[in-house]
Amino acid sequence: GDRRSGRIMPECSASSSTSHAGASTFAAAAAAAALFVGLVAAPPPTISDVIHSVDHGIAALGLWPSAEMAAAGNLVDWCVTSECFDAAFRVAASEIKLGGMTAPDVVIGDFSVLRFLLSVVVAGVVTNVAMRIADTIARLLFTHFDAAKCSLPSVLPWPDPPGNSAPFDVPVPEASAEQLGKFLAFRGVALPATEAARREAAAREAVSYMAELFDRKHNEWCYRHYALKEKGLCFPYRAPFMNAWDFYGETSAHLRPVGNGQVIFALHHTVEGLLLPLLYFSSGDASFFYLALYADMGVEAYDILALLWRRATGADHTLTRHHPSVDAVLVPHHLFAICYELIGLMAGPLLSKTFMLHVVASAHLSGVFILAAIVLHQTPAQAWPRFLYRFQAAVLAAIYACRVVWWAPIAAASLRLAYTGFLPPLLTPHGVASEPRLLSPCFAAMLLLIAFYTYFNADQIVYNRKLLRKAGERLRLATKKERPSYSC
């Protein structure tokens, strides 16, 4: 009996589990079939359904009032009175008092032509003064020359292939008289009378030579990347500074203003993209809103004029001081900012100031990270591959957060506003009518701006992903060199 039980029980178990698996499979198949039938039988969503969902999604993010808020009369800072409608895009003559003088002005909505022109002039003055101040501070803090920490190249001319630059390999204190004389002759410098003076002169020439090598490599990379659109280029990394905190003294006269310009531009982004919006949100004072937009338009417009002046005369008074081939990226970027804010001001009180500051903040906050990364490559941090890799990862995360996650609903909302005459569409069912303006100049301009800036953001993502990958490769090489080698 036990043997029979032992033989029969497994058979019963197998039969039971097979039956259970078959039932589960049948239930899953029935559920999948029911879901498929439901999807096929249900009417497909129309374009109106999709747009309606987008409208409610944008309202859920707080970019404009929800239908419930509109029904309760809570429009936040959207103005839908007849006065606001009349003021939007209305051209009128006005005047501005400047001290004891009165100057004529033309106003379109909330946009003042004279204030814009004054903001460009102020931006030009502040930019050039700030560049001089930044240069003075950097010279005081980061030009501590020490000949004993410098090195000379053992090979002349020094090989400097694309990618990472190699440091010079003969410490100045250990250089022979022959090496000193040969290097000074290569640099076209007369041989000083004393040995101490020769070592001092050789050390200074070594610093200048390294700066020239990287300057040449950087300019060539910019031209090939931005002008010729070549792919697969090795990103230029200069050799570690000979004296880490003499980095400004070891930077070429051409690249020093580039670093200063990025610092000032990053401060500009911080003030207009973070500080002024926070002051507006905390105080409700509209002057902070207007200051943010006019200051941003002034800086961007001044930089475009300075770029054109540089092309015409060769004199560089730009804020960014980039290689001229980078103009193809900077000019459209500046034009987008100016035109977007221009439309926002021309719409006048009809357009929410909170919404416009969302646009400003989303672009400027990620810009701070991008500009800071450029600056770091001109400091001792460029020799810290682990830090640079982590910071580049933070830059890419900021771009994704601000220029994808944050930008997508802003772009959709901007197109909807231009389409409905700069009125949140969810207000229409609650007594405020708006006429769609698909072929209006504002909608066409907004569509062009959105398309360009989305392309610009996509290009920034591709470019910064490449930089992250190159920073990762650099980190792996540095880690490999740091690992001790063991032998049996």
Side-chain angles (χ1 to χ4, degrees):
D2 292 340
R3 285 183 62 193
R4 184 176 299 175
S5 299
R7 289 167 58 189
I8 293 175
M9 287 300 291
E11 291 175 6
C12 291
S13 261
S15 174
S16 175
S17 70
T18 302
S19 171
H20 179 70
S24 300
T25 303
F26 177 79
L35 178 62
F36 178 76
V37 170
L39 290 174
V40 172
T46 63
I47 295 178
S48 298
D49 294 333
V50 174
I51 293 176
H52 186 70
S53 299
V54 171
D55 291 343
H56 282 277
I58 293 171
L61 295 173
L63 294 179
W64 58 46
S66 65
E68 293 76 14
M69 294 171 65
N74 180 14
L75 304 182
V76 198
D77 62 346
W78 293 88
C79 182
V80 295
T81 63
S82 59
E83 291 82 2
C84 292
F85 275 99
D86 293 340
F89 298 97
R90 183 181 63 187
V91 181
S94 182
E95 57 183 26
I96 294 178
K97 291 184 178 180
L98 301 172
M101 301 172 54
T102 301
D105 189 16
V106 176
V107 176
I108 308 172
D110 280 348
F111 174 71
S112 162
V113 174
L114 185 56
R115 282 191 174 92
F116 171 68
L117 295 176
L118 288 173
S119 71
V120 176
V121 173
V122 171
V125 173
V126 171
T127 292
N128 285 278
V129 171
M131 291 290 280
R132 291 180 180 274
I133 293 173
D135 181 65
T136 301
I137 294 173
R139 286 178 185 274
L140 290 172
L141 297 179
F142 307 120
T143 54
H144 302 290
F145 177 77
D146 185 354
K149 294 183 178 180
C150 297
S151 298
L152 307 181
S154 60
V155 178
L156 297 172
W158 184 250
D160 192 23
N164 292 330
S165 296
F168 295 158
D169 53 354
V170 180
V172 167
E174 301 174 14
S176 65
E178 181 183 359
Q179 288 173 317
L180 292 172
K182 187 177 179 181
F183 178 66
L184 289 173
F186 172 75
R187 294 290 294 169
V189 176
L191 198 65
T194 65
E195 181 180 350
R198 285 195 289 271
R199 293 189 186 279
E200 174 87 6
R204 291 191 179 278
E205 286 301 318
V207 166
S208 297
Y209 184 39
M210 179 61 79
E212 291 167 13
L213 287 174
F214 181 68
D215 201 3
R216 189 181 307 129
K217 175 186 285 189
H218 176 267
N219 285 341
E220 181 183 359
W221 183 87
C222 286
Y223 178 72
R224 295 175 64 185
H225 177 76
Y226 291 106
L228 302 182
K229 308 293 184 184
E230 293 185 14
K231 305 295 182 182
L233 297 175
C234 293
F235 190 77
Y237 290 98
R238 65 159 290 152
F241 293 101
M242 301 180 197
N243 181 1
W245 297 108
D246 182 42
F247 68 85
Y248 198 72
E250 295 185 26
T251 301
S252 71
H254 166 68
L255 286 179
R256 286 179 186 178
V258 174
N260 295 336
Q262 308 316 303
V263 171
I264 296 167
F265 209 24
L267 289 174
H268 153 83
H269 276 58
T270 303
V271 171
E272 268 105 53
L274 181 63
L275 179 60
L276 291 175
L278 287 177
L279 288 173
Y280 170 74
F281 292 141
S282 62
S283 68
D285 187 346
S287 61
F288 292 119
F289 167 80
Y290 293 115
L291 180 58
L293 266 62
Y294 277 110
D296 192 39
M297 289 192 300
V299 170
E300 309 279 5
Y302 165 76
D303 208 37
I304 290 177
L305 293 175
L307 290 171
L308 296 174
W309 180 257
R310 181 177 65 182
R311 283 183 176 269
T313 67
D316 195 347
H317 297 287
T318 62
L319 170 58
T320 49
R321 300 295 173 96
H322 281 302
H323 189 276
S325 61
V326 188
D327 293 358
V329 176
L330 286 178
V331 171
H333 167 274
H334 292 350
L335 287 175
F336 164 80
I338 295 169
C339 293
Y340 205 108
E341 290 163 348
L342 191 66
I343 292 176
L345 286 172
M346 286 181 174
L350 192 63
L351 187 60
S352 162
K353 293 177 175 59
T354 301
F355 177 83
M356 276 303 301
L357 289 178
H358 268 280
V359 178
V360 172
S362 68
H364 284 69
L365 293 183
S366 55
V368 173
F369 282 85
I370 295 171
L371 295 166
I374 299 173
V375 174
L376 285 174
H377 281 85
Q378 291 183 237
T379 70
Q382 56 87 32
W384 307 338
R386 189 177 303 279
F387 173 79
L388 277 186
Y389 175 76
R390 290 173 177 172
F391 192 84
Q392 185 59 43
V395 171
L396 192 58
I399 293 173
Y400 275 122
C402 294
R403 304 195 177 200
V404 177
V405 177
W406 200 353
W407 170 247
I410 288 176
S414 299
L415 289 174
R416 288 290 287 142
L417 288 169
Y419 178 70
T420 58
F422 292 90
L423 180 71
L426 293 180
L427 299 186
T428 303
H430 302 279
V432 181
S434 62
E435 180 184 353
R437 305 176 182 182
L438 182 60
L439 300 179
S440 70
C442 282
F443 181 81
M446 186 61 65
L447 182 61
L448 182 63
L449 291 172
I450 295 294
F452 163 73
Y453 198 62
T454 301
Y455 173 79
F456 177 81
N457 290 339
D459 184 67
Q460 282 291 308
I461 291 172
V462 172
Y463 175 68
N464 280 275
R465 285 183 64 178
K466 288 180 181 178
L467 287 187
L468 182 63
R469 186 176 68 250
K470 293 176 187 296
E473 293 169 357
R474 204 163 170 252
L475 174 60
R476 282 191 293 273
L477 288 174
T479 305
K480 187 176 180 180
K481 290 179 180 179
E482 291 173 0
R483 289 176 182 168
S485 58
Y486 299 99
S487 57
C488 297

